[in-house]
Amino acid sequence: MGDIEAPGTSRPRQSVLLSVLPSKEFASSRKGMLLIAEVALSFVSFVCFAASTAAAFVTVPLLEFLAALFLLFAYSTKFNERFKGFLWPLMDFMRCVTASIIFFIISIIAVSKYADGSSKAAGVFGFFATIVFALDFYLIFNELASFLKGGGETQEEPSRQQDEFSDSDSD
């Protein structure tokens, strides 16, 4: 009596929250786990750099956090499938390459030049982020290379072509 909210209004809020979070299928996939790790490590590195004397390096983790968060949202909601004009794998590859190089450079500088603990922590998390971004661009590169070797064909078609042109004497 006199309540502003009805007791049943908490349900739509939950569905809105669940629609923003990545799906369970995507979050458990290899790409999903890598993007979640990139988001988490970039954010932790951002917080550590913001609290340290090496605050000049705070923009790199922030930009990588936002870019990884956008791609996490785009891939989990299949936003990338609606916009075919963008080369999503190439954009993701370039993001990972630049992130791994820049994270590696600022992590070396943060660990070697600054003496406070948060700079050292930011450098260590930056090294972990470098490894995750490098693993991601390695996997993307392998997928792009296999796609380009096949001439844009799916994985099933090249194996069928190999069977047709094989010189096996087992017949």
Side-chain angles (χ1 to χ4, degrees), residues 89-134:
L90 187 61
M91 280 188 348
D92 199 16
F93 176 75
M94 293 305 295
R95 178 190 63 88
C96 290
V97 168
T98 56
S100 63
I101 292 170
I102 293 172
F103 260 115
F104 185 68
I105 291 169
I106 67 169
S107 296
I108 288 175
I109 294 171
V111 169
S112 64
K113 188 175 179 184
Y114 297 96
D116 61 321
S118 56
S119 294
K120 303 275 187 206
V124 169
F125 283 114
F127 284 128
F128 287 138
T130 300
I131 292 168
V132 171
F133 280 110

Side-chain angles (χ1 to χ4, degrees), residues 58-107:
V58 78
T59 54
V60 172
L62 177 64
L63 290 176
E64 293 304 329
F65 167 72
L66 293 174
L69 191 65
F70 170 72
L71 282 175
L72 176 66
F73 176 75
Y75 284 138
S76 66
T77 59
K78 302 202 184 318
F79 184 72
N80 59 331
E81 293 176 2
R82 287 184 234 152
F83 291 97
K84 301 276 186 189
F86 292 114
L87 300 173
W88 290 95
L90 187 61
M91 280 188 348
D92 199 16
F93 176 75
M94 293 305 295
R95 178 190 63 88
C96 290
V97 168
T98 56
S100 63
I101 292 170
I102 293 172
F103 260 115
F104 185 68
I105 291 169
I106 67 169
S107 296

Side-chain angles (χ1 to χ4, degrees), residues 13 18 33-34 37 56-57 65 95-96 103 108 122 135 142 151 168:
R13 286 185 185 170
L18 290 176
M33 288 188 283
L34 282 171
F57 300 127
F65 167 72
R95 178 190 63 88
C96 290
F103 260 115
I108 288 175
L135 178 65
N142 282 341
S168 68

